[in-house]
Short mmCIF file of all heavy atoms in Angstrom, two decimals:
data_model
loop_
_atom_site.label_atom_id
_atom_site.label_comp_id
_atom_site.label_asym_id
_atom_site.label_seq_id
_atom_site.Cartn_x
_atom_site.Cartn_y
_atom_site.Cartn_z
N MET A 122 -0.77 -8.08 -1.95
CA MET A 122 -2.07 -7.45 -1.77
C MET A 122 -2.03 -6.03 -2.36
O MET A 122 -1.03 -5.34 -2.26
CB MET A 122 -2.42 -7.36 -0.28
CG MET A 122 -2.64 -8.69 0.40
SD MET A 122 -4.07 -9.58 -0.18
CE MET A 122 -5.27 -9.07 1.02
N GLN A 123 -3.13 -5.66 -2.95
CA GLN A 123 -3.31 -4.31 -3.49
C GLN A 123 -4.18 -3.52 -2.52
O GLN A 123 -4.95 -4.09 -1.76
CB GLN A 123 -4.05 -4.39 -4.82
CG GLN A 123 -3.34 -5.16 -5.89
CD GLN A 123 -2.29 -4.34 -6.59
OE1 GLN A 123 -2.43 -3.14 -6.72
NE2 GLN A 123 -1.24 -5.00 -7.01
N GLU A 124 -4.06 -2.21 -2.57
CA GLU A 124 -4.95 -1.35 -1.81
C GLU A 124 -5.74 -0.50 -2.78
O GLU A 124 -5.24 -0.15 -3.85
CB GLU A 124 -4.16 -0.43 -0.88
CG GLU A 124 -3.53 -1.16 0.28
CD GLU A 124 -2.99 -0.20 1.32
OE1 GLU A 124 -3.50 0.92 1.45
OE2 GLU A 124 -2.03 -0.61 2.00
N GLY A 125 -6.98 -0.20 -2.40
CA GLY A 125 -7.80 0.64 -3.25
C GLY A 125 -9.00 1.17 -2.52
O GLY A 125 -9.18 0.93 -1.33
N THR A 126 -9.84 1.87 -3.25
CA THR A 126 -11.06 2.47 -2.73
C THR A 126 -12.23 1.97 -3.57
O THR A 126 -12.13 1.93 -4.80
CB THR A 126 -10.99 4.00 -2.82
OG1 THR A 126 -9.84 4.44 -2.10
CG2 THR A 126 -12.23 4.65 -2.21
N VAL A 127 -13.31 1.59 -2.90
CA VAL A 127 -14.50 1.15 -3.63
C VAL A 127 -15.09 2.35 -4.35
O VAL A 127 -15.50 3.33 -3.73
CB VAL A 127 -15.53 0.52 -2.66
CG1 VAL A 127 -16.78 0.10 -3.43
CG2 VAL A 127 -14.93 -0.64 -1.90
N LYS A 128 -15.08 2.27 -5.67
CA LYS A 128 -15.60 3.36 -6.50
C LYS A 128 -17.12 3.26 -6.62
O LYS A 128 -17.83 4.26 -6.65
CB LYS A 128 -14.94 3.28 -7.87
CG LYS A 128 -15.27 4.40 -8.80
CD LYS A 128 -14.44 4.29 -10.06
CE LYS A 128 -14.64 5.48 -10.96
NZ LYS A 128 -13.76 5.38 -12.13
N PHE A 129 -17.58 2.00 -6.67
CA PHE A 129 -19.00 1.74 -6.91
C PHE A 129 -19.26 0.29 -6.52
O PHE A 129 -18.42 -0.57 -6.77
CB PHE A 129 -19.28 1.94 -8.41
CG PHE A 129 -20.53 1.28 -8.92
CD1 PHE A 129 -21.76 1.89 -8.77
CD2 PHE A 129 -20.47 0.04 -9.54
CE1 PHE A 129 -22.91 1.27 -9.25
CE2 PHE A 129 -21.61 -0.58 -10.02
CZ PHE A 129 -22.83 0.05 -9.86
N PHE A 130 -20.36 0.03 -5.84
CA PHE A 130 -20.76 -1.36 -5.61
C PHE A 130 -22.28 -1.43 -5.52
O PHE A 130 -22.89 -0.71 -4.75
CB PHE A 130 -20.15 -1.96 -4.34
CG PHE A 130 -20.35 -3.45 -4.26
CD1 PHE A 130 -19.57 -4.30 -5.03
CD2 PHE A 130 -21.36 -4.00 -3.49
CE1 PHE A 130 -19.78 -5.67 -5.03
CE2 PHE A 130 -21.58 -5.37 -3.48
CZ PHE A 130 -20.78 -6.21 -4.24
N ASN A 131 -22.87 -2.30 -6.34
CA ASN A 131 -24.32 -2.47 -6.37
C ASN A 131 -24.65 -3.86 -5.82
O ASN A 131 -24.38 -4.86 -6.46
CB ASN A 131 -24.82 -2.33 -7.82
CG ASN A 131 -26.32 -2.38 -7.93
OD1 ASN A 131 -26.97 -3.21 -7.29
ND2 ASN A 131 -26.88 -1.51 -8.74
N LYS A 132 -25.22 -3.90 -4.60
CA LYS A 132 -25.55 -5.20 -3.97
C LYS A 132 -26.58 -5.97 -4.78
O LYS A 132 -26.52 -7.19 -4.85
CB LYS A 132 -26.09 -4.97 -2.55
CG LYS A 132 -25.02 -4.70 -1.55
CD LYS A 132 -25.61 -4.66 -0.15
CE LYS A 132 -24.55 -4.35 0.87
NZ LYS A 132 -25.08 -4.26 2.21
N THR A 133 -27.52 -5.27 -5.40
CA THR A 133 -28.57 -5.92 -6.18
C THR A 133 -27.98 -6.62 -7.40
O THR A 133 -28.31 -7.76 -7.69
CB THR A 133 -29.63 -4.90 -6.62
OG1 THR A 133 -30.11 -4.23 -5.46
CG2 THR A 133 -30.79 -5.58 -7.32
N LYS A 134 -27.09 -5.92 -8.09
CA LYS A 134 -26.46 -6.50 -9.29
C LYS A 134 -25.25 -7.36 -8.93
O LYS A 134 -24.73 -8.06 -9.78
CB LYS A 134 -26.06 -5.39 -10.26
CG LYS A 134 -27.28 -4.69 -10.83
CD LYS A 134 -26.87 -3.67 -11.87
CE LYS A 134 -28.11 -3.01 -12.47
NZ LYS A 134 -27.78 -1.98 -13.44
N ARG A 135 -24.80 -7.27 -7.68
CA ARG A 135 -23.75 -8.13 -7.13
C ARG A 135 -22.35 -7.88 -7.70
O ARG A 135 -21.52 -8.75 -7.74
CB ARG A 135 -24.13 -9.60 -7.31
CG ARG A 135 -25.43 -9.94 -6.59
CD ARG A 135 -26.04 -11.24 -7.02
NE ARG A 135 -25.13 -12.34 -7.02
CZ ARG A 135 -25.04 -13.28 -6.08
NH1 ARG A 135 -25.81 -13.24 -5.04
NH2 ARG A 135 -24.16 -14.26 -6.19
N PHE A 136 -22.10 -6.64 -8.14
CA PHE A 136 -20.76 -6.32 -8.62
C PHE A 136 -20.47 -4.84 -8.44
O PHE A 136 -21.35 -4.05 -8.13
CB PHE A 136 -20.57 -6.71 -10.08
CG PHE A 136 -21.24 -5.77 -11.05
CD1 PHE A 136 -20.54 -4.69 -11.57
CD2 PHE A 136 -22.55 -5.95 -11.42
CE1 PHE A 136 -21.16 -3.82 -12.46
CE2 PHE A 136 -23.19 -5.09 -12.30
CZ PHE A 136 -22.46 -4.01 -12.82
N GLY A 137 -19.22 -4.49 -8.66
CA GLY A 137 -18.81 -3.10 -8.61
C GLY A 137 -17.38 -2.95 -9.08
O GLY A 137 -16.84 -3.83 -9.76
N PHE A 138 -16.75 -1.83 -8.71
CA PHE A 138 -15.38 -1.55 -9.11
C PHE A 138 -14.61 -0.95 -7.95
O PHE A 138 -15.15 -0.20 -7.15
CB PHE A 138 -15.35 -0.58 -10.30
CG PHE A 138 -15.89 -1.19 -11.55
CD1 PHE A 138 -17.23 -1.08 -11.88
CD2 PHE A 138 -15.06 -1.91 -12.40
CE1 PHE A 138 -17.74 -1.67 -13.02
CE2 PHE A 138 -15.56 -2.51 -13.54
CZ PHE A 138 -16.89 -2.38 -13.86
N ILE A 139 -13.33 -1.31 -7.90
CA ILE A 139 -12.40 -0.75 -6.93
C ILE A 139 -11.36 0.02 -7.73
O ILE A 139 -10.85 -0.49 -8.73
CB ILE A 139 -11.71 -1.87 -6.12
CG1 ILE A 139 -12.74 -2.64 -5.30
CG2 ILE A 139 -10.61 -1.29 -5.23
CD1 ILE A 139 -12.20 -3.91 -4.67
N THR A 140 -11.05 1.25 -7.31
CA THR A 140 -10.03 2.02 -8.00
C THR A 140 -8.74 2.00 -7.19
O THR A 140 -8.77 2.11 -5.97
CB THR A 140 -10.48 3.47 -8.28
OG1 THR A 140 -9.45 4.11 -9.04
CG2 THR A 140 -10.77 4.25 -7.02
N THR A 141 -7.64 1.81 -7.89
CA THR A 141 -6.32 1.83 -7.25
C THR A 141 -5.66 3.19 -7.41
O THR A 141 -4.57 3.41 -6.92
CB THR A 141 -5.39 0.76 -7.86
OG1 THR A 141 -5.18 1.09 -9.23
CG2 THR A 141 -5.96 -0.62 -7.74
N GLY A 142 -6.32 4.08 -8.11
CA GLY A 142 -5.74 5.36 -8.46
C GLY A 142 -5.16 5.33 -9.87
O GLY A 142 -5.11 6.34 -10.55
N LYS A 143 -4.73 4.15 -10.30
CA LYS A 143 -4.19 3.97 -11.66
C LYS A 143 -5.21 3.32 -12.58
O LYS A 143 -5.26 3.61 -13.76
CB LYS A 143 -2.94 3.10 -11.63
CG LYS A 143 -1.79 3.71 -10.86
CD LYS A 143 -0.61 2.77 -10.86
CE LYS A 143 0.43 3.23 -9.86
NZ LYS A 143 1.16 2.14 -9.26
N GLU A 144 -5.99 2.39 -12.00
CA GLU A 144 -6.96 1.66 -12.82
C GLU A 144 -8.14 1.23 -11.95
O GLU A 144 -8.05 1.22 -10.73
CB GLU A 144 -6.31 0.45 -13.47
CG GLU A 144 -5.76 -0.56 -12.48
CD GLU A 144 -5.03 -1.71 -13.15
OE1 GLU A 144 -5.29 -1.99 -14.33
OE2 GLU A 144 -4.19 -2.32 -12.48
N ASP A 145 -9.23 0.88 -12.62
CA ASP A 145 -10.41 0.35 -11.94
C ASP A 145 -10.43 -1.16 -12.13
O ASP A 145 -10.26 -1.65 -13.24
CB ASP A 145 -11.69 0.97 -12.51
CG ASP A 145 -11.81 2.45 -12.20
OD1 ASP A 145 -11.05 2.93 -11.34
OD2 ASP A 145 -12.65 3.11 -12.82
N ILE A 146 -10.67 -1.88 -11.02
CA ILE A 146 -10.68 -3.34 -11.03
C ILE A 146 -12.10 -3.81 -10.75
O ILE A 146 -12.73 -3.37 -9.78
CB ILE A 146 -9.74 -3.91 -9.94
CG1 ILE A 146 -8.35 -3.26 -10.01
CG2 ILE A 146 -9.67 -5.43 -10.05
CD1 ILE A 146 -7.53 -3.62 -11.20
N PHE A 147 -12.61 -4.71 -11.57
CA PHE A 147 -13.94 -5.28 -11.39
C PHE A 147 -13.96 -6.13 -10.11
O PHE A 147 -13.00 -6.84 -9.82
CB PHE A 147 -14.27 -6.16 -12.60
CG PHE A 147 -15.59 -6.87 -12.49
CD1 PHE A 147 -16.77 -6.22 -12.82
CD2 PHE A 147 -15.67 -8.18 -12.05
CE1 PHE A 147 -18.00 -6.87 -12.73
CE2 PHE A 147 -16.88 -8.84 -11.95
CZ PHE A 147 -18.05 -8.17 -12.28
N VAL A 148 -15.05 -6.05 -9.36
CA VAL A 148 -15.22 -6.92 -8.18
C VAL A 148 -16.62 -7.50 -8.21
O VAL A 148 -17.61 -6.79 -8.41
CB VAL A 148 -14.93 -6.17 -6.86
CG1 VAL A 148 -15.82 -4.96 -6.67
CG2 VAL A 148 -15.06 -7.11 -5.67
N HIS A 149 -16.71 -8.83 -8.05
CA HIS A 149 -17.99 -9.53 -7.96
C HIS A 149 -18.23 -9.89 -6.51
O HIS A 149 -17.27 -10.09 -5.75
CB HIS A 149 -17.96 -10.80 -8.82
CG HIS A 149 -19.29 -11.49 -8.88
ND1 HIS A 149 -19.62 -12.53 -8.05
CD2 HIS A 149 -20.37 -11.25 -9.65
CE1 HIS A 149 -20.87 -12.91 -8.32
NE2 HIS A 149 -21.34 -12.15 -9.29
N ILE A 150 -19.48 -9.98 -6.11
CA ILE A 150 -19.83 -10.27 -4.71
C ILE A 150 -19.17 -11.56 -4.21
O ILE A 150 -18.85 -11.68 -3.04
CB ILE A 150 -21.37 -10.29 -4.53
CG1 ILE A 150 -21.72 -10.11 -3.06
CG2 ILE A 150 -21.98 -11.53 -5.15
CD1 ILE A 150 -23.17 -9.74 -2.81
N SER A 151 -18.90 -12.50 -5.12
CA SER A 151 -18.27 -13.76 -4.72
C SER A 151 -16.81 -13.56 -4.30
O SER A 151 -16.23 -14.44 -3.66
CB SER A 151 -18.34 -14.78 -5.86
OG SER A 151 -17.61 -14.32 -6.97
N GLY A 152 -16.21 -12.41 -4.64
CA GLY A 152 -14.83 -12.12 -4.27
C GLY A 152 -14.68 -11.37 -2.97
O GLY A 152 -13.57 -11.02 -2.57
N LEU A 153 -15.80 -11.13 -2.27
CA LEU A 153 -15.76 -10.34 -1.04
C LEU A 153 -15.58 -11.19 0.21
O LEU A 153 -16.17 -12.26 0.33
CB LEU A 153 -17.07 -9.55 -0.87
CG LEU A 153 -17.45 -8.59 -1.99
CD1 LEU A 153 -18.74 -7.87 -1.64
CD2 LEU A 153 -16.34 -7.60 -2.27
N LYS A 154 -14.76 -10.72 1.13
CA LYS A 154 -14.64 -11.30 2.47
C LYS A 154 -15.42 -10.47 3.48
O LYS A 154 -15.81 -10.95 4.53
CB LYS A 154 -13.17 -11.37 2.91
CG LYS A 154 -12.33 -12.28 2.04
CD LYS A 154 -12.71 -13.71 2.23
CE LYS A 154 -11.81 -14.63 1.43
NZ LYS A 154 -12.23 -16.00 1.45
N ASP A 155 -15.61 -9.18 3.18
CA ASP A 155 -16.38 -8.25 4.02
C ASP A 155 -17.42 -7.58 3.13
O ASP A 155 -17.26 -7.52 1.91
CB ASP A 155 -15.48 -7.15 4.61
CG ASP A 155 -14.47 -7.67 5.60
OD1 ASP A 155 -14.83 -8.52 6.43
OD2 ASP A 155 -13.30 -7.23 5.55
N ASN A 156 -18.47 -7.07 3.76
CA ASN A 156 -19.42 -6.25 3.01
C ASN A 156 -18.76 -4.92 2.71
O ASN A 156 -18.12 -4.33 3.59
CB ASN A 156 -20.70 -6.01 3.83
CG ASN A 156 -21.51 -7.27 3.97
OD1 ASN A 156 -21.62 -8.06 3.04
ND2 ASN A 156 -22.09 -7.48 5.13
N ILE A 157 -18.89 -4.45 1.49
CA ILE A 157 -18.26 -3.19 1.10
C ILE A 157 -19.31 -2.19 0.62
O ILE A 157 -20.39 -2.57 0.17
CB ILE A 157 -17.19 -3.40 0.02
CG1 ILE A 157 -17.79 -3.99 -1.27
CG2 ILE A 157 -16.05 -4.28 0.54
CD1 ILE A 157 -16.84 -4.03 -2.45
N ARG A 158 -18.94 -0.93 0.76
CA ARG A 158 -19.78 0.18 0.29
C ARG A 158 -18.90 1.18 -0.44
O ARG A 158 -17.68 1.20 -0.26
CB ARG A 158 -20.45 0.88 1.47
CG ARG A 158 -21.40 -0.01 2.24
CD ARG A 158 -22.11 0.78 3.32
NE ARG A 158 -21.13 1.26 4.29
CZ ARG A 158 -21.43 1.53 5.55
NH1 ARG A 158 -22.64 1.38 6.00
NH2 ARG A 158 -20.50 1.98 6.37
N GLN A 159 -19.53 2.04 -1.21
CA GLN A 159 -18.80 3.08 -1.93
C GLN A 159 -17.93 3.87 -0.96
O GLN A 159 -18.35 4.18 0.16
CB GLN A 159 -19.80 4.01 -2.63
CG GLN A 159 -19.15 5.01 -3.55
CD GLN A 159 -20.16 5.76 -4.37
OE1 GLN A 159 -21.24 5.25 -4.66
NE2 GLN A 159 -19.82 6.96 -4.76
N ASN A 160 -16.73 4.16 -1.38
CA ASN A 160 -15.72 4.93 -0.64
C ASN A 160 -15.00 4.16 0.45
O ASN A 160 -14.13 4.71 1.12
CB ASN A 160 -16.29 6.24 -0.07
CG ASN A 160 -16.77 7.16 -1.18
OD1 ASN A 160 -16.13 7.26 -2.23
ND2 ASN A 160 -17.89 7.81 -0.96
N ASP A 161 -15.32 2.88 0.67
CA ASP A 161 -14.58 2.07 1.64
C ASP A 161 -13.15 1.85 1.15
O ASP A 161 -12.92 1.65 -0.05
CB ASP A 161 -15.22 0.69 1.83
CG ASP A 161 -16.43 0.71 2.74
OD1 ASP A 161 -16.62 1.70 3.47
OD2 ASP A 161 -17.17 -0.29 2.72
N GLU A 162 -12.19 1.89 2.07
CA GLU A 162 -10.80 1.54 1.78
C GLU A 162 -10.67 0.03 1.92
O GLU A 162 -11.09 -0.54 2.94
CB GLU A 162 -9.85 2.24 2.75
CG GLU A 162 -9.90 3.75 2.66
CD GLU A 162 -9.35 4.29 1.35
OE1 GLU A 162 -8.35 3.74 0.85
OE2 GLU A 162 -9.94 5.24 0.82
N VAL A 163 -10.11 -0.63 0.92
CA VAL A 163 -10.03 -2.09 0.92
C VAL A 163 -8.63 -2.58 0.51
O VAL A 163 -7.86 -1.84 -0.11
CB VAL A 163 -11.08 -2.71 -0.04
CG1 VAL A 163 -12.49 -2.47 0.47
CG2 VAL A 163 -10.93 -2.18 -1.46
N ILE A 164 -8.35 -3.82 0.89
CA ILE A 164 -7.18 -4.53 0.38
C ILE A 164 -7.71 -5.76 -0.36
O ILE A 164 -8.76 -6.29 0.00
CB ILE A 164 -6.18 -4.92 1.49
CG1 ILE A 164 -6.85 -5.75 2.58
CG2 ILE A 164 -5.50 -3.69 2.06
CD1 ILE A 164 -5.88 -6.29 3.61
N PHE A 165 -6.97 -6.20 -1.38
CA PHE A 165 -7.48 -7.28 -2.22
C PHE A 165 -6.35 -7.88 -3.04
O PHE A 165 -5.26 -7.33 -3.13
CB PHE A 165 -8.59 -6.76 -3.15
CG PHE A 165 -8.17 -5.63 -4.04
CD1 PHE A 165 -7.76 -5.88 -5.35
CD2 PHE A 165 -8.18 -4.32 -3.59
CE1 PHE A 165 -7.36 -4.85 -6.18
CE2 PHE A 165 -7.79 -3.28 -4.42
CZ PHE A 165 -7.37 -3.54 -5.71
N GLU A 166 -6.65 -9.02 -3.62
CA GLU A 166 -5.75 -9.66 -4.57
C GLU A 166 -6.39 -9.56 -5.95
O GLU A 166 -7.60 -9.36 -6.06
CB GLU A 166 -5.54 -11.12 -4.19
CG GLU A 166 -4.84 -11.29 -2.85
CD GLU A 166 -4.79 -12.74 -2.40
OE1 GLU A 166 -4.67 -13.63 -3.26
OE2 GLU A 166 -4.87 -12.97 -1.19
N ILE A 167 -5.57 -9.71 -6.98
CA ILE A 167 -6.06 -9.61 -8.35
C ILE A 167 -5.89 -10.94 -9.07
O ILE A 167 -4.84 -11.56 -8.98
CB ILE A 167 -5.33 -8.50 -9.12
CG1 ILE A 167 -5.65 -7.14 -8.50
CG2 ILE A 167 -5.71 -8.52 -10.60
CD1 ILE A 167 -4.92 -5.99 -9.14
N GLU A 168 -6.96 -11.37 -9.74
CA GLU A 168 -6.92 -12.58 -10.57
C GLU A 168 -7.36 -12.20 -11.98
O GLU A 168 -8.13 -11.27 -12.16
CB GLU A 168 -7.91 -13.64 -10.05
CG GLU A 168 -7.47 -14.36 -8.82
CD GLU A 168 -8.46 -15.46 -8.43
OE1 GLU A 168 -9.54 -15.56 -9.06
OE2 GLU A 168 -8.14 -16.21 -7.50
N ASN A 169 -6.89 -12.96 -12.95
CA ASN A 169 -7.38 -12.79 -14.31
C ASN A 169 -8.73 -13.50 -14.43
O ASN A 169 -8.84 -14.67 -14.11
CB ASN A 169 -6.40 -13.39 -15.33
CG ASN A 169 -5.21 -12.50 -15.54
OD1 ASN A 169 -5.36 -11.29 -15.72
ND2 ASN A 169 -4.04 -13.07 -15.50
N GLY A 170 -9.74 -12.76 -14.85
CA GLY A 170 -11.07 -13.33 -15.04
C GLY A 170 -11.39 -13.43 -16.52
O GLY A 170 -10.55 -13.17 -17.37
N ASN A 171 -12.63 -13.79 -16.81
CA ASN A 171 -13.07 -13.94 -18.20
C ASN A 171 -13.02 -12.63 -18.97
O ASN A 171 -12.78 -12.63 -20.17
CB ASN A 171 -14.49 -14.50 -18.25
CG ASN A 171 -14.57 -15.92 -17.72
OD1 ASN A 171 -13.57 -16.62 -17.68
ND2 ASN A 171 -15.75 -16.33 -17.29
N ASN A 172 -13.27 -11.52 -18.27
CA ASN A 172 -13.34 -10.23 -18.95
C ASN A 172 -12.27 -9.26 -18.46
O ASN A 172 -12.48 -8.05 -18.47
CB ASN A 172 -14.73 -9.61 -18.75
CG ASN A 172 -15.81 -10.47 -19.35
OD1 ASN A 172 -15.67 -10.94 -20.47
ND2 ASN A 172 -16.87 -10.70 -18.61
N GLY A 173 -11.15 -9.78 -18.00
CA GLY A 173 -10.10 -8.89 -17.51
C GLY A 173 -9.77 -9.18 -16.05
O GLY A 173 -10.01 -10.28 -15.57
N LEU A 174 -9.24 -8.18 -15.37
CA LEU A 174 -8.82 -8.36 -13.99
C LEU A 174 -10.00 -8.32 -13.02
O LEU A 174 -10.91 -7.52 -13.17
CB LEU A 174 -7.82 -7.27 -13.61
CG LEU A 174 -6.53 -7.24 -14.43
CD1 LEU A 174 -5.66 -6.07 -14.00
CD2 LEU A 174 -5.78 -8.55 -14.31
N ASN A 175 -9.95 -9.21 -12.03
CA ASN A 175 -10.98 -9.26 -10.99
C ASN A 175 -10.33 -9.12 -9.63
O ASN A 175 -9.29 -9.73 -9.37
CB ASN A 175 -11.71 -10.61 -10.99
CG ASN A 175 -12.59 -10.80 -12.20
OD1 ASN A 175 -12.93 -9.86 -12.90
ND2 ASN A 175 -12.96 -12.03 -12.45
N ALA A 176 -10.94 -8.36 -8.74
CA ALA A 176 -10.50 -8.26 -7.36
C ALA A 176 -11.11 -9.43 -6.58
O ALA A 176 -12.30 -9.72 -6.70
CB ALA A 176 -10.94 -6.94 -6.74
N VAL A 177 -10.28 -10.14 -5.81
CA VAL A 177 -10.75 -11.26 -4.99
C VAL A 177 -10.17 -11.11 -3.58
O VAL A 177 -9.23 -10.35 -3.36
CB VAL A 177 -10.35 -12.63 -5.59
CG1 VAL A 177 -11.04 -12.85 -6.93
CG2 VAL A 177 -8.86 -12.75 -5.74
N ASN A 178 -10.75 -11.86 -2.63
CA ASN A 178 -10.34 -11.76 -1.22
C ASN A 178 -10.35 -10.31 -0.74
O ASN A 178 -9.43 -9.86 -0.09
CB ASN A 178 -8.95 -12.39 -1.00
CG ASN A 178 -8.96 -13.88 -1.31
OD1 ASN A 178 -9.94 -14.57 -1.02
ND2 ASN A 178 -7.91 -14.36 -1.91
N VAL A 179 -11.43 -9.62 -1.10
CA VAL A 179 -11.55 -8.20 -0.77
C VAL A 179 -11.94 -8.05 0.70
O VAL A 179 -12.93 -8.61 1.15
CB VAL A 179 -12.60 -7.52 -1.67
CG1 VAL A 179 -12.75 -6.04 -1.32
CG2 VAL A 179 -12.25 -7.70 -3.14
N ARG A 180 -11.12 -7.28 1.42
CA ARG A 180 -11.36 -7.03 2.85
C ARG A 180 -11.28 -5.54 3.13
O ARG A 180 -10.50 -4.82 2.48
CB ARG A 180 -10.28 -7.71 3.69
CG ARG A 180 -10.34 -9.20 3.67
CD ARG A 180 -9.31 -9.78 4.64
NE ARG A 180 -9.46 -11.21 4.75
CZ ARG A 180 -8.80 -12.09 4.02
NH1 ARG A 180 -7.97 -11.69 3.09
NH2 ARG A 180 -9.01 -13.38 4.19
N LEU A 181 -12.04 -5.09 4.10
CA LEU A 181 -11.97 -3.70 4.53
C LEU A 181 -10.67 -3.45 5.25
O LEU A 181 -10.20 -4.29 6.03
CB LEU A 181 -13.13 -3.39 5.48
CG LEU A 181 -14.52 -3.42 4.85
CD1 LEU A 181 -15.58 -3.35 5.93
CD2 LEU A 181 -14.70 -2.30 3.85
N VAL A 182 -10.07 -2.29 5.03
CA VAL A 182 -8.86 -1.90 5.75
C VAL A 182 -9.21 -1.63 7.21
O VAL A 182 -8.57 -2.14 8.12
CB VAL A 182 -8.18 -0.68 5.09
CG1 VAL A 182 -7.04 -0.18 5.95
CG2 VAL A 182 -7.70 -1.05 3.70
N ASN A 183 -10.23 -0.82 7.43
CA ASN A 183 -10.72 -0.53 8.79
C ASN A 183 -12.16 -0.99 8.85
O ASN A 183 -13.03 -0.35 8.29
CB ASN A 183 -10.65 0.96 9.11
CG ASN A 183 -9.23 1.44 9.18
OD1 ASN A 183 -8.38 0.80 9.80
ND2 ASN A 183 -8.95 2.57 8.55
N ASN A 184 -12.40 -2.13 9.48
CA ASN A 184 -13.75 -2.71 9.51
C ASN A 184 -14.65 -1.88 10.40
O ASN A 184 -14.59 -1.96 11.61
CB ASN A 184 -13.68 -4.16 9.97
CG ASN A 184 -14.96 -4.91 9.64
OD1 ASN A 184 -16.00 -4.29 9.42
ND2 ASN A 184 -14.89 -6.21 9.61
N HIS A 185 -15.45 -1.03 9.78
CA HIS A 185 -16.34 -0.14 10.52
C HIS A 185 -17.81 -0.48 10.32
O HIS A 185 -18.67 0.32 10.54
CB HIS A 185 -16.06 1.31 10.13
CG HIS A 185 -16.21 1.58 8.65
ND1 HIS A 185 -15.14 1.49 7.79
CD2 HIS A 185 -17.27 1.90 7.90
CE1 HIS A 185 -15.55 1.77 6.57
NE2 HIS A 185 -16.84 2.01 6.60
N HIS A 186 -18.09 -1.69 9.88
CA HIS A 186 -19.49 -2.10 9.68
C HIS A 186 -20.01 -2.77 10.92
O HIS A 186 -19.39 -3.54 11.56
CB HIS A 186 -19.61 -3.06 8.48
CG HIS A 186 -19.30 -2.39 7.19
ND1 HIS A 186 -20.20 -1.59 6.55
CD2 HIS A 186 -18.19 -2.37 6.43
CE1 HIS A 186 -19.65 -1.12 5.44
NE2 HIS A 186 -18.43 -1.60 5.36
#
C-alpha cells in the first residue's frame, strides 16, 4: 500500500490526483473505497492503466466523513 494526500478531486468529472510527495497518481471515482476530498490523507494501491499509473482501492487513513 502507498500513502498520499489528495491533491485534487472533482466529483462531477469523477477523477483527481493523489500526491505521494514524489509523484502525482491519477485516481478515478471507480477506484475509491471511501469518499475523498482535497487534502485527505489516503492509502491506496497502484495499477498500470491506459494512460499511466492509477490509484485503486483508495481509502481514507482517518475516516472523518
Side-chain angles (χ1 to χ4, degrees):
M122 294 293 265
Q123 299 278 329
E124 289 191 27
T126 303
V127 179
K128 185 174 186 177
F129 160 83
F130 191 77
N131 184 317
K132 282 187 181 178
T133 305
K134 293 185 178 177
R135 300 164 50 101
F136 76 91
F138 292 91
I139 297 170
T140 184
T141 64
K143 296 179 192 148
E144 61 184 337
D145 292 347
I146 310 291
F147 177 83
V148 58
H149 186 264
I150 199 165
S151 64
L153 302 182
K154 296 291 184 187
D155 293 318
N156 290 322
I157 61 171
R158 297 184 297 206
Q159 188 171 332
N160 297 321
D161 281 344
E162 298 293 321
V163 293
I164 56 173
F165 58 96
E166 296 173 34
I167 295 177
E168 285 184 353
N169 284 313
N171 294 338
N172 298 315
L174 299 177
N175 291 343
V177 295
N178 297 323
V179 179
R180 292 185 173 92
L181 293 170
V182 172
N183 294 314
N184 196 340
H185 57 268
H186 293 281

